[in-house]
Amino acid sequence: MQTTMAGWVLVATVMFGSADRVAAQQAAAPSCPTTVAAEFAGWSKPASVAPGGVLPIGSVGRLALKPSAGVSFEVTPTKAPAADTFSGVVRFDVAKAGTYRVALGGAAWIDVVQSGKVLTSTAHAHGPVCSPVKKMVDFVLPAGRYALQLSGAKTAELSVSITTIR
């Protein structure tokens, strides 16, 4: 096989162009502080929450998930979990109507269920840069008991919190 000068130039351009892009991405990456912001302090030591257990509002729990195929959901997840993923269900109680935020330390599908119905979320976002939060979803909830269904996670454990935002 004969390599031409044009071929070598193409290879060099791809290699150095990629290196330049990586360097630019690294330069643009934020410099994260070594300490966690006060609002995320609970994320450094989440309490264990048993599957099917209760997660208190305002706390951070570490939920042990099970292979998705073996989880008994309140209702079928609105997004079917892929094979070889993990899922789980916890309960939470809302004492006062308001807007509540479910925050996760990793990727998973979130369904909030009450009386056999999946509730509609009102906002979605990624967690703040340099925080342990990867995903946030808001729900307007009246007082009552709810099931939080997490499905399709790639890890067998997931940190989760539910906080009042309004």
Side-chain angles (χ1 to χ4, degrees), residues 71-162:
V71 173
S72 294
F73 294 103
E74 294 278 321
V75 299
T76 302
T78 54
K79 182 177 179 183
D84 300 326
T85 61
F86 300 90
S87 300
V89 179
V90 293
R91 310 212 181 296
F92 66 98
D93 295 307
V94 170
K96 182 180 175 188
T99 301
Y100 290 81
R101 176 167 292 156
V102 177
L104 301 180
W109 187 257
I110 297 171
D111 284 318
V112 172
V113 179
Q114 185 183 46
S115 302
K117 294 184 181 177
V118 175
L119 304 178
T120 303
S121 61
T122 57
H124 305 82
H126 294 287
V129 174
C130 298
S131 81
V133 176
K134 303 301 178 214
K135 180 177 186 175
M136 301 182 303
V137 180
D138 296 350
F139 297 86
V140 175
L141 303 174
R145 174 155 276 197
Y146 296 87
L148 173 62
Q149 297 186 159
L150 304 175
S151 58
K154 297 194 185 297
T155 60
E157 285 189 330
L158 198 56
S159 292
V160 59
S161 75
I162 304 169

Side-chain angles (χ1 to χ4, degrees), residues 8-49:
W8 284 113
V9 169
L10 177 61
V11 169
T13 300
V14 169
M15 287 176 52
F16 293 117
S18 296
D20 289 343
R21 263 182 266 137
V22 169
Q25 289 171 346
Q26 289 173 342
S31 175
C32 295
T34 56
T35 58
V36 177
E39 66 186 294
F40 301 112
W43 285 81
S44 62
K45 293 183 181 176
S48 292
V49 178

Side-chain angles (χ1 to χ4, degrees), residues 49-72:
V49 178
V54 176
L55 177 66
I57 299 291
S59 67
V60 180
R62 185 86 176 151
L63 179 62
L65 304 174
K66 297 179 179 179
S68 295
V71 173
S72 294

